[in-house]
Amino acid sequence: GRSPGPDAAMRLAALLAALRPVLPLVLGLSLGCSLSLLRASWSQSGAEEPCLAAAGRSGALAGGAHPEAADGRPGPAHEDFRPRIVPYYRDPNKPYKKVLRTRYIQTELGFHERLFVAVLTSKATLNTLAVAVNKTVAHHFPRLLYFTGLRSAKVPHGMVLVAHGDERPIWLMYETVHYIHQHFGSDYDWFYIMQDDTYAQAEQVKALVTHLSINQDVYLGRAEEFIGGDEQARYCHGGFGYLMSRSLLLKLHPHLDSCRNEILSVRPDEWLGRCIIDFLGITCVSQLQGQHYHTYELAKNTEPEKEEEEEFQAALAVHPVSDMTLMYRLHKHFSRIQLNRAYQEIQDLQMQIRNLTSLTPAGEAGLTWPVGINAPFIPKSRFEVISWDYFTEQHLFSCPDGSPKCKLSGASKADVSEIIESALEQLNSRYQPLLRFSKRQLLNGYRRFDPTRGMEYTLDLLLEAVTQKGHSHVLAKRVSLVRPLSKVEIIPMPYVTEATRVQLVLPLTVQDLDFVANFLDMFAMNTLDTHDNALLTLLFIYHPYDAQRVSQVDVFAGVKAMVGELEKRYAEVKIPWISVKTEVPSQVKLMDIVSKKHPVDTLFFLASVWTEINMEFLNRCRMNTISNWQVFFPVHFQEFNPALVYRGEQAASSSTDFLRDGHFDRHSFAEACFYNSDYMTARTKLAADILDRDEVLESMEVFDVFLHYSGLHLFRAVEPGLVQKYSLRSCNPRLSEELYHRCVLSNLEGLASRSHLAMALFEQEQANST
């Protein structure tokens, strides 16, 4: 053959030089693909037979648990715990539909609530034992319902009752299980059924279900033998309660009708147990996965306070409870047992912490008091120092209204009394019987709230110490106490959506005309252009003099022209206005007018002309305002006077620097979010209180109406989404002294920060001295 010419050799050399940097990448990809194909072929050739063999050897236990395979591989019950990839497939013949995403991750992932409790009651015990159960354990369970065979029974206060209309025990049990499956079968993992003559330790029952796997068919309780039945079969005694898993309930439901027609029994718990055994092959067990269902049977005339048996101390359920008094005594006794266990556990943990602290780099010096509580907050600057509040037994010297001294009352007085009593109790427990202390006087008291640990107290007590021989001596002693922060709980709130329409209400006076254009521009840009579900209503407040001349000169003619331009630009938008004539623009009187012109389910946002509307805040207005539950009063961010902050220099950046350029104006209550129905309810109570004395309304704002005449939550929080440019507000002297004082304070504190004011004074003094 003929050798390649010099041109071909040069082209080949140039190609190799160009490919040389990427050769390692190409070789690595090729090698990785080859190894993955080899591994896949090995896995497919050798994985089928052992899996089939393991599946053939596995079988179901009587209690519903599936064992692992003999060779150590997980059995069929563990299939749900294996990760697997679900391929995405869309039928090309069907039209594409947008996936609707749920609001919460918990809903999208299909999480269930933990425990549902059903209590079986009767006509004779509904108002006695059932009420006792409700008062002792109902607040510990997330969901508890009472089931009875009565028809149109009168429900005691605070209880949710389901009446089936048939008092036959078997029928009541059938209807109860059917109702639970129909209404709660897809929402809960565990179902606990008990009678109203049973005392159940709620916390112990909740702890039990947290240690059980939800992937098994569980029928757990006090196992009892059937009379004249199979020795291996057991049913759960209804008097001591029993636990059923969701999977068991789903499998049982199709057979309930057959059980009702085929199984004859006198006791409902035996009927249910026989139904589960005959159709599912699952028997009742008293222990599962290392967890024991401990019970205790009460004898007649039992004294719960004298029961010291270990079986009684460990019981989850006690039966039978004959009357309400015995139920309350049992609850008190078991609460004391749990409290002693908690104290003992705290002591053990504190001892372990002391023993381990000596092994840490800091040594024993790193042990903080109290042991196990977070260390005190260490400020990094003088601005982070937490101040102490001084108090005595009669007065507080750090008052909410800013006054130097106020009377100690309400929760603060109860708090001081409790900590003094606790201090004496701790002193006596430490020094008795050698000394016994009694309080003469509280000399000094100091307290501060540390967000990292809780409320701290320092007390100077004047005490009288009495010895065993009766000698007494007066001495002063300083003690320190900490009320630690308890367990943080999530408070359930009603569900609200972001699709609610917001009705903006903007009151306008003649002094506000210079700022209306900017307000309307921001409203159009952030709501109309984005098609946000928000409407605007303008409230023109005419002075009587201007109202008389409105036919010749309308002071709001310019604003009405701007509104007309907006309505032309956005054809589907209408911005109505309401004209009001008054010398004293009371916020409550203005809202009375607006409230009557809107439906009761309207969500109002009472705005000010300096407010810059944006979608971020409107969504928070929707989420933080809940009908018949909560109203929202945001604290807007007020920018400082640029003449004092920058002193003629241009701002460094357009973004707002919270620590330099402004502050949150806590004196202003101009913005508010609330539902019209809530306002009307509170306003009705106010009208009944003032009895047509309209002059009282001039001294009130909408905030005061909700604060004093509604039982709703008033949510007052800083709102960084509401930023207002600096402007000198005009304070109306015709309003009440308190409202006028708030307005003046807002103007004064909105000038500048202390450092900026100090620099302005320094420059002024320098100019005067020269």
Side-chain angles (χ1 to χ4, degrees), residues 327-378:
M327 182 78 74
Y328 296 138
R329 291 169 63 188
L330 283 169
H331 184 63
K332 180 180 179 181
H333 184 64
F334 278 109
S335 298
R336 184 181 290 112
I337 292 174
Q338 292 180 0
L339 190 62
N340 292 336
R341 288 175 183 169
Y343 283 144
Q344 184 61 44
E345 186 177 354
I346 290 173
Q347 291 181 5
D348 295 341
L349 290 173
Q350 287 179 336
M351 185 60 67
Q352 294 177 19
I353 292 173
R354 289 192 184 96
N355 296 336
L356 291 174
T357 304
S358 59
L359 304 178
T360 60
E364 295 184 359
L367 187 66
T368 59
W369 180 90
V371 179
I373 305 296
N374 292 334
F377 172 74
I378 300 176

Side-chain angles (χ1 to χ4, degrees), residues 436-450:
R436 182 170 52 85
F437 292 97
S438 59
K439 179 181 70 73
R440 282 284 189 91
Q441 184 184 354
L442 173 65
L443 299 176
N444 302 294
Y446 309 89
R447 67 179 181 183
R448 70 173 183 178
F449 179 72
D450 189 334

Side-chain angles (χ1 to χ4, degrees), residues 17 64 79 130 182 236 264 280 334 339 408 500 597 625 640 644 733:
E79 288 295 330
Q182 182 179 3
C236 289
L264 300 177
L280 302 180
F334 278 109
L339 190 62
L408 198 63
T500 308
K597 297 182 179 294
T625 311
F640 286 142
L644 292 173

Side-chain angles (χ1 to χ4, degrees), residues 493-634:
M493 298 289 286
Y495 181 79
V496 292
T497 65
E498 294 181 354
T500 308
R501 173 176 292 177
V502 180
Q503 178 65 60
L504 280 74
V505 179
L506 179 64
L508 289 176
T509 61
V510 178
Q511 291 80 11
D512 304 331
L513 295 178
D514 296 336
F515 309 97
V516 179
N518 181 65
F519 177 90
L520 293 177
D521 289 342
M522 297 300 295
F523 174 76
M525 181 175 63
N526 293 330
T527 60
L528 300 183
D529 290 341
T530 59
H531 302 285
D532 192 272
N533 195 8
L535 301 178
L536 174 63
T537 297
L538 299 178
L539 202 60
F540 296 139
I541 305 172
Y542 286 91
H543 190 273
Y545 175 74
D546 295 329
Q548 293 175 359
R549 301 170 58 247
V550 70
S551 57
Q552 292 84 19
V553 179
D554 188 357
V555 293
F556 293 106
V559 182
K560 294 176 181 179
M562 296 178 196
V563 172
E565 291 295 329
L566 281 179
E567 291 180 345
K568 289 180 182 179
R569 193 192 314 171
Y570 305 93
E572 71 282 359
V573 175
K574 296 297 180 184
I575 304 178
W577 64 72
I578 304 172
S579 299
V580 181
K581 181 180 72 172
T582 180
E583 290 186 16
V584 185
S586 169
Q587 198 180 50
V588 179
K589 288 184 177 181
L590 298 178
M591 272 311 305
D592 288 346
I593 299 172
V594 177
S595 175
K596 295 175 183 178
K597 297 182 179 294
H598 290 84
V600 294
D601 59 345
T602 303
L603 172 58
F604 284 126
F605 169 43
L606 186 58
S608 63
V609 71
W610 305 282
T611 305
E612 295 183 357
I613 305 298
N614 59 72
M615 189 183 300
E616 177 188 359
F617 167 72
L618 290 179
N619 284 335
R620 271 199 287 270
C621 179
R622 295 181 177 104
M623 297 301 295
N624 292 332
T625 311
I626 305 171
S627 179
N628 200 30
W629 185 272
Q630 179 172 285
V631 293
F632 179 41
F633 286 86

Side-chain angles (χ1 to χ4, degrees), residues 169-245:
I170 305 299
W171 184 267
L172 175 61
M173 178 60 72
Y174 163 79
E175 290 290 346
T176 299
V177 177
H178 178 72
Y179 185 92
I180 292 173
H181 174 272
Q182 182 179 3
H183 293 84
F184 306 101
S186 59
D187 298 331
Y188 291 85
D189 286 328
W190 298 99
F191 301 89
Y192 185 66
I193 302 177
M194 57 180 286
Q195 299 174 181
D196 58 3
D197 60 347
T198 305
Y199 175 77
Q201 289 203 65
E203 296 299 330
Q204 299 290 90
V205 174
K206 290 195 295 185
L208 174 66
V209 299
T210 58
H211 291 84
L212 295 176
S213 174
I214 63 174
N215 198 41
Q216 297 186 5
D217 300 332
V218 177
Y219 182 37
L220 182 65
R222 176 164 172 165
E224 297 282 349
E225 295 183 5
F226 290 97
I227 299 176
D230 186 4
E231 295 182 358
Q232 299 298 325
R234 298 286 189 276
Y235 72 94
C236 289
H237 194 291
F240 297 95
Y242 44 90
L243 195 67
M244 298 171 58
S245 63

